[in-house]
Amino acid sequence: MEKIPQAAFREAIANALIHRVWDIDSHIRVSMFDDGIEVVSPGGLPAGITAEEYLSGKLSVLRNRNLANVFYRLGFVEIFGTGITRIKQLYAESLIKPDFEVSENAIKIMLPLFETNVNLTEDEKVIYKLLSKTMLKSISEIAPYVPFGKSKTTHLLKTMGEKGVVAVEGKGRGTKYIIK
């Protein structure tokens, strides 16, 4: 089973190459982490397109038409302007969604590990999205970001621990949680 959808990774790399600004002396950066892959492309959005239009997939402006045509003919991209939409579709069933960050000088796509833990309740899924596979978090680091009180959050974390989804380390005030 793929931890990160191959098609999403291919789309992120193709987008970075096709839409990057080539006159900036910078490189595309691909970083691999325990919880995902980050692809950063130099250059922001082309003139005439907003971040909202780009992220919604409503509008795409080809910055490098010749390169885009080569990728299309080689079968690396299917239809121009659908990369972000396809990445989102590939993660539709995942608990953790990709993150897209657009700035004036770069576009960053974070592809998380594909997680579909279907045996979680909706409330447990809310908590699961806040947890990490690499960093222990205490109840005081989780509770402010969920719509439940501390006691319900603690109970949900305990249940998730019993299901084998979350590891519980420590006792009392020193209790911390991490995704198994």
Side-chain angles (χ1 to χ4, degrees):
M1 183 172 166
E2 295 177 341
K3 291 187 176 190
I4 293 179
Q6 181 180 357
F9 181 66
R10 186 187 71 233
E11 287 289 344
I13 296 295
N15 273 355
L17 290 168
I18 292 171
H19 295 294
R20 76 160 284 175
V21 175
W22 289 94
D23 56 352
I24 293 176
D25 188 24
S26 184
H27 301 286
I28 293 170
R29 188 181 77 224
V30 179
S31 304
M32 299 178 120
F33 302 101
D34 289 338
D35 60 347
I37 295 176
E38 178 182 89
V39 179
V40 180
S41 178
L45 294 172
I49 183 171
T50 66
E52 292 78 27
E53 290 168 330
Y54 170 74
L55 295 174
S56 70
K58 292 178 183 174
L59 182 63
S60 179
V61 177
L62 281 177
R63 186 176 271 146
N64 302 297
R65 185 167 302 281
N66 292 338
L67 186 58
N69 283 326
V70 169
F71 274 65
Y72 177 74
R73 290 179 185 199
L74 290 173
F76 292 128
V77 293
E78 295 173 7
I79 302 170
F80 299 131
T82 62
I84 299 302
T85 304
R86 288 206 59 222
I87 291 171
K88 289 179 179 179
Q89 288 171 346
L90 290 162
Y91 276 90
E93 299 298 316
S94 180
L95 286 174
I96 303 171
K97 306 296 184 199
D99 185 44
F100 305 92
E101 189 177 305
V102 178
S103 69
E104 186 178 326
N105 298 314
I107 296 174
K108 178 175 85 171
I109 299 175
M110 180 63 183
L111 301 173
L113 296 180
F114 196 87
E115 300 281 346
T116 59
N117 212 324
V118 292
N119 66 341
L120 295 178
T121 66
E122 291 304 312
D123 289 347
E124 290 169 342
K125 288 178 182 179
V126 170
I127 293 172
Y128 184 89
K129 290 177 184 179
L130 294 171
L131 296 174
S132 168
K133 288 188 176 205
T134 57
M135 190 172 79
L136 291 164
K137 290 191 176 182
S138 67
I139 191 72
S140 61
E141 293 173 300
I142 299 167
Y145 302 101
V146 295
F148 327 115
K150 275 191 177 182
S151 61
K152 181 174 181 177
T153 304
T154 304
H155 174 71
L156 290 168
L157 285 163
K158 181 181 175 188
T159 305
M160 292 167 71
E162 291 166 0
K163 290 181 179 180
V165 176
V166 172
V168 182
E169 297 189 15
K171 294 202 182 270
R173 291 180 157 244
T175 305
K176 296 199 175 195
Y177 306 90
I178 192 166
I179 296 172
K180 279 189 176 181

